[in-house]
């Protein structure tokens, strides 16, 4: 398991995970960055698989990205914590791993900090959940990268890892 601070769209891995919305049509944050870098083919491919329920995931080619695949998962919007948000966030990570493994030719994968931007999930708890699920899959893939985009999230991930 590695923690890398930077832009997930630049990573040379087999699959990157997108923090998508259920319409799978692109959006803001990491979703927008991935769609811009992959090109318009990505929205055509992902929209055809919509809608995607919260906590679920779908897979498409990576088109112009260095990554061969994009796994689009829908994390929960934080609504105070009483709406199953923790289980849904865990499910988003787990379903993404399941798709990557089922694909058969994915040995490296990178995840953004799902739900911690526009969706407002508390960052400390999200880091614990993300690191926890990544650890559970360590033996199944060669390389698992937590791609963080700011120093605060990086520190939370390092604490959760230790
Ligand atoms: P959500 O809607 O699931 O909250 P966001 O895209 O708003 O998704 O944010 C999720 C996380 O992705 C945030 O920590 C944000 O800082 C981070 N992020 C934004 N752009 C990028 C990028 N290009 N690469 C990696 N992480 C990114």
């Amino acid at each position: 398991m590695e923690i890398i601070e930077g832009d997930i769209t630049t990573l040379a891995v087999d699959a990157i995970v997108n923090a998508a919305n259920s319409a799978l049509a692109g959006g803001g944050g990491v979703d927008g960055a991935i769609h811009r870098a992959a090109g318009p083919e990505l929205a055509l491919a992902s929209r055809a698989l919509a809608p995607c329920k919260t906590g679920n995931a779908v897979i498409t080619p990576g088109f112009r990205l260095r990554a061969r695949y994009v796994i689009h998962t829908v994390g929960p919007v934080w609504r105070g914590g009483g709406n199953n948000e923790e289980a849904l966030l865990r499910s988003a990570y787990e379903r993404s791993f399941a798709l990557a493994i089922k694909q058969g030719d994915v040995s490296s994968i990178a995840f953004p900090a799902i739900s911690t931007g526009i969706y407002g999930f508390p960052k400390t708890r999200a880091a614990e959940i993300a690191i926890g699920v990544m650890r559970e899959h360590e033996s199944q893939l060669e390389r698992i990268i937590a791609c963080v985009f700011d120093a605060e999230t990086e520190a939370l991930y390092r604490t959760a890892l230790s």
Side-chain angles (χ1 to χ4, degrees):
M1 258 211 68
E2 299 162 57
I3 299 167
I4 292 179
E5 188 184 351
D7 180 357
I8 200 168
T9 67
T10 66
L11 298 180
V13 288
D14 296 322
I16 64 171
V17 176
N18 181 18
N21 54 58
S22 58
L24 302 177
V30 69
D31 192 11
I34 290 172
H35 277 269
R36 278 191 298 278
E41 299 94 334
L42 184 64
L44 288 175
S46 59
R47 274 203 304 257
L49 303 171
C52 180
K53 285 187 185 151
T54 304
N56 210 344
V58 301
I59 189 165
T60 67
F63 299 100
R64 299 177 205 179
L65 291 166
R66 296 174 79 184
R68 262 183 297 123
Y69 300 104
V70 177
I71 294 171
H72 308 258
T73 190
V74 183
V77 176
W78 182 259
R79 293 199 179 88
N83 294 279
N84 215 26
E85 290 96 331
E86 293 205 355
L88 289 167
L89 185 60
R90 197 170 298 114
S91 171
Y93 282 96
E94 284 169 349
R95 295 285 184 94
S96 298
F97 271 117
L99 273 184
I101 291 160
K102 189 174 148 211
Q103 194 62 33
D105 58 352
V106 172
S107 61
S108 56
I109 188 167
F111 287 86
I114 298 165
S115 283
T116 65
I118 300 158
Y119 281 7
F121 202 106
K123 291 181 182 186
T124 304
R125 190 66 194 121
E128 291 165 357
I129 290 168
I131 293 289
V133 181
M134 289 186 209
R135 272 219 169 114
E136 286 164 15
H137 292 83
E138 259 178 338
S139 63
Q140 290 168 279
L141 292 172
E142 275 171 30
R143 237 184 130 193
I144 299 172
I145 296 170
C147 180
V148 295
F149 206 54
D150 59 81
E152 183 198 2
T153 304
E154 180 171 14
L156 291 172
Y157 271 54
R158 297 215 179 274
T159 303
L161 196 55
S162 64

